[in-house]
């Protein structure tokens, strides 16, 4: 059981981290709360289901196609429906809720509300110290950690990463340093949606694919970014693993845990906020002018 | 002239902040602009560097009302007032903003790298980094420190160093001495004249006229959005009315 908790906690924490970091990045760079963020994760799961289960494409090709298509959809949504109203917070909230609903209803129309399964890439088990871990779980874990590592490297070590972080902290000064803030926001949106899409294609074989599967992760992502401190990437990463493990522990250790996991995570968030209102790694945004 | 501002006016909603302002900066020059609080000095630099246009663009249709910008700005013979801020920076006009505004969560070296964003050549970046470290040795000592924890003086050095990283053709600095102790002010002004001597012209907004006028090649006095006087330190400091009313000397 401990090994199950460990590996599931890492996987869930990792997928939440993929979602929450992307959410934080967009929030920082474009100052928008993107409610539709986890809806991209949901449609990615449907794309992989369509490509691999329905159309029978090779799983790797299906993964690649799903991630690329969802990323392009994300960029299109940003350009057409978010960017024009970007500076009006309430309108952004309403528009992104609308985008999420459009995705959900479209999926409902095409696929119905049924739970869909998705075969994994690998079958079989690996025995480590007498403990059985399925290859699929292991692969998922490796990919999640790999993607997180690459994201980390981009943010800390590359010219683009410096520009993204600079823009997130002070858009005006980023402008003054010659950064095209609009273009950086678009690139950030692409990276964030790509991370969400990778989360979606990875989770599809491990759980069920259904039209409402974006709601629980959305609540979790909001809890994670508040817990970690709004605008802090490190906070999002650590918050994601804290809540990922909490959920897993609750599911494995408590009777009816699957129904209680959300409540427990939100309770942790509330306790942390009572003790530290700015979250674990709160960032004060430089107000403009 | 390197920078020529012709008849620049800026209105926020109905308030006229800059009123038909003209000024110029030549190659090799250090030009200062002084004036009382609220005269429009910061607005002038923000208009030249494209930030007023950026503000106008992002606030479009919001509750703050309209911003109107009139007049022309030429830089190196090219008209730049229609360009977005980041393209103005690309042309080599860099603004070191009021209140310094380092990227607070990033380290000193990361701030400098952000300043070098426009450079793609690694060698050039290294070279400029060495130049900046030579001018401000304290930045080298503190290079791994998160910039939000630097002292005010160090933050000012960082802000200037960051703006110098792309080796601009003109450096604009907005009130670098705010909040610094007298000794540190002297040091900052000294560094700024070193920047001019190294061949980078400077447009300096500063209230501390007693020091700055003597350093600068030419000076302007701005009041209520208008240039009310222009000249060398000698010329301006002879004018009793100017000294008493606008410069507080
Ligand atoms: N975004 C804005 N909206 C409305 N009014 C503004 C805005 N920015 C500046 N102003 C007004 O323009 C005037 C000039 O401001 P500015 O900041 O340019 O003055 P300043 O000369 O830099 O003053 P200080 O010496 O205090 O820095 C002020 O009266 C200010 O209230
Ligand atoms: Mg000012």
């Amino acid at each position: 059981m401990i090994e199950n908790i460990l590996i599931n906690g890492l996987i869930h924490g990792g997928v939440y981290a993929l979602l929450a970091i992307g959410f934080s990045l967009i929030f920082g760079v474009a100052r928008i709360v993107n409610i539709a963020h986890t809806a991209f994760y949901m449609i990615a799961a449907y794309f992989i289901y369509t490509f691999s289960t329905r159309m029978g494409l090779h799983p790797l090709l299906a993964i690649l196609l799903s991630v690329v298509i969802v990323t392009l959809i994300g960029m299109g949504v940003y350009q057409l429906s978010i960017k024009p109203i970007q500076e009006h917070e309430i309108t952004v909230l309403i528009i992104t809720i609308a985008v999420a609903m459009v995705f959900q209803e479209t999926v409902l129309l095409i696929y119905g509300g049924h739970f869909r399964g998705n075969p994994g890439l690998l079958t079989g088990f690996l025995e480590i110290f007498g403990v059985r871990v399925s290859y699929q779980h292991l692969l998922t874990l490796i990919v999640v950690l790999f993607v997180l590592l690459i994201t980390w490297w981009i943010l800390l070590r590359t010219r683009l990463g410096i520009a993204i972080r600079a823009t997130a902290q002070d858009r005006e000064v980023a402008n003054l340093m010659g950064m095209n803030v609009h273009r950086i926001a678009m690139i950030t949106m692409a990276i964030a949606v790509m991370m969400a899409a990778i989360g979606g294609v990875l989770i599809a074989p491990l759980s069920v694919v259904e039209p409402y599967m974006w709601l629980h992760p959305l609540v979790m992502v909001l809890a994670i970014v508040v817990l970690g401190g709004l605008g802090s990437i490190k906070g999002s990463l650590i918050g994601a693993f804290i809540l990922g493990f909490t959920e897993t522990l609750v599911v494995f250790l408590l009777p009816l845990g699957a129904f209680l996991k959300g409540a427990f995570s939100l309770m942790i968030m509330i306790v942390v906020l009572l003790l530290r209102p700015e979250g674990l790694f709160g960032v004060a945004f430089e107000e403009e002018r | 002239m390197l920078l020529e501002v012709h008849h620049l006016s800026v209105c926020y909603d109905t308030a006229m902040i800059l009123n038909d302002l003209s000024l110029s900066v030549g190659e090799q020059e250090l030009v200062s602009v002084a004036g009382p609080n609220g005269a429009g000095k910061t607005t002038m630099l923000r208009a030249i560097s494209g930030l007023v246009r950026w503000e106008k663009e992002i606030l479009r249709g919001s509750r703050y009302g309209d911003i109107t910008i009139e007049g022309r700005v030429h830089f190196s013979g090219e008209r730049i007032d229609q360009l977005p801020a980041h393209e103005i920076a690309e042309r080599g006009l860099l603004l070191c903003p009021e209140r310094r505004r380092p990227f607070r969560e990033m380290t000193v070296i990361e701030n400098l790298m952000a300043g070098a964003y426009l450079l793609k050549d690694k060698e050039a970046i290294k070279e400029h980094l060495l130049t900046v470290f030579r001018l401000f040795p304290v930045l080298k000592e503190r290079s791994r420190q998160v910039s939000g924890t630097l002292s005010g003086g160090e933050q000012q050095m960082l802000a200037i160093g960051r703006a110098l990283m792309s080796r601009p053709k003109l450096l604009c600095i907005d009130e670098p001495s705010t909040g610094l102790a007298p000794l540190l002010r002297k040091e900052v002004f000294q560094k700024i004249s070193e920047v001019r001597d190294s061949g980078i012209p400077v447009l300096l907004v500063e209230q501390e006229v007693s020091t700055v006028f003597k350093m600068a090649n030419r000076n302007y006095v701005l009041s209520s959005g208008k240039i009310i006087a222009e000249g060398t330190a000698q010329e301006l400091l002879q004018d009793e009315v100017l000294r008493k009313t606008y410069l507080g000397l």
Side-chain angles (χ1 to χ4, degrees), chain A residues 289, chain B residues 12 17 36-43 55 98 175 207:
Chain A
R289 193 153 222 285
Chain B
Y12 279 97
I17 311 297
N37 292 115
K41 306 180 295 295
T42 298
T43 307
E55 209 176 342
E98 196 175 30
E175 302 222 35
Q207 311 232 36

Side-chain angles (χ1 to χ4, degrees), chain A residues 173-233:
Chain A
V173 179
N175 250 319
L176 291 178
M177 297 299 125
M179 298 166 187
N180 182 345
V181 170
H182 292 306
R183 212 181 75 216
I184 287 167
M186 175 58 96
I187 295 172
T188 307
M189 183 75 186
I191 292 177
V193 171
M194 188 183 289
M195 291 171 79
I198 291 173
V201 300
L202 287 177
I203 216 71
L206 301 182
S207 92
V208 290
V209 176
E210 42 105 6
Y212 305 103
M213 64 184 280
W214 60 283
L215 279 170
H216 177 69
L218 175 65
V219 174
M220 293 303 289
V221 163
L222 292 174
I224 287 164
V225 296
V226 173
L227 172 70
L230 210 54
S232 165
I233 306 297

Side-chain angles (χ1 to χ4, degrees), chain A residues 258-277:
Chain A
F259 298 102
L260 292 173
K261 59 182 189 181
F264 261 82
S265 300
L266 294 182
M267 246 161 59
I268 290 197
M269 178 190 84
I270 291 169
V271 170
V272 170
L273 287 186
L274 285 176
L275 298 176
R276 260 183 81 88

Side-chain angles (χ1 to χ4, degrees), chain A residues 73-141:
Chain A
I73 293 177
M75 292 168 79
V77 164
Y78 177 72
Q79 182 68 29
L80 296 177
S81 57
I82 298 177
K83 195 175 154 200
I85 44 115
Q86 190 178 323
E87 305 303 326
H88 307 265
E89 290 115 13
I90 304 298
T91 321
V92 168
L93 270 181
I94 295 169
I95 293 285
T96 55
I97 290 173
V99 167
M101 296 307 286
V102 167
F103 285 168
Q104 174 190 302
E105 295 306 307
T106 310
V107 163
L108 257 170
L109 268 177
I110 300 177
Y111 300 90
H114 313 289
F115 285 16
R116 308 289 185 177
N118 209 39
L121 208 53
L122 300 171
T123 50
F125 296 89
L126 178 70
E127 291 234 355
I128 318 171
F129 303 117
V131 172
R132 296 176 107 199
V133 181
S134 87
Y135 279 127
Q136 182 66 34
H137 279 81
L138 213 58
L139 179 72
T140 308
L141 185 59

Side-chain angles (χ1 to χ4, degrees), chain A residues 289, chain B residues 12-13 15-18 35-46 55 59 64 67 98 174-175 205 207 222:
Chain A
R289 193 153 222 285
Chain B
Y12 279 97
D13 213 5
M16 194 158 206
I17 311 297
L18 294 183
N37 292 115
K41 306 180 295 295
T42 298
T43 307
M44 175 192 81
L45 291 183
R46 288 172 63 85
E55 209 176 342
L59 293 183
Y64 297 111
I67 301 173
E98 196 175 30
D174 196 349
E175 302 222 35
V205 160
Q207 311 232 36
L222 187 66

Side-chain angles (χ1 to χ4, degrees), chain A residues 87-89 171 287-289, chain B residues 11-15 55-68:
Chain A
E87 305 303 326
H88 307 265
E89 290 115 13
R171 283 190 301 178
E287 92 290 7
E288 271 154 28
R289 193 153 222 285
Chain B
C11 296
Y12 279 97
D13 213 5
T14 55
E55 209 176 342
K56 178 182 163 86
E57 185 191 321
I58 66 169
L59 293 183
R60 196 177 33 204
S62 81
R63 60 187 175 277
Y64 297 111
D66 270 348
I67 301 173
T68 47

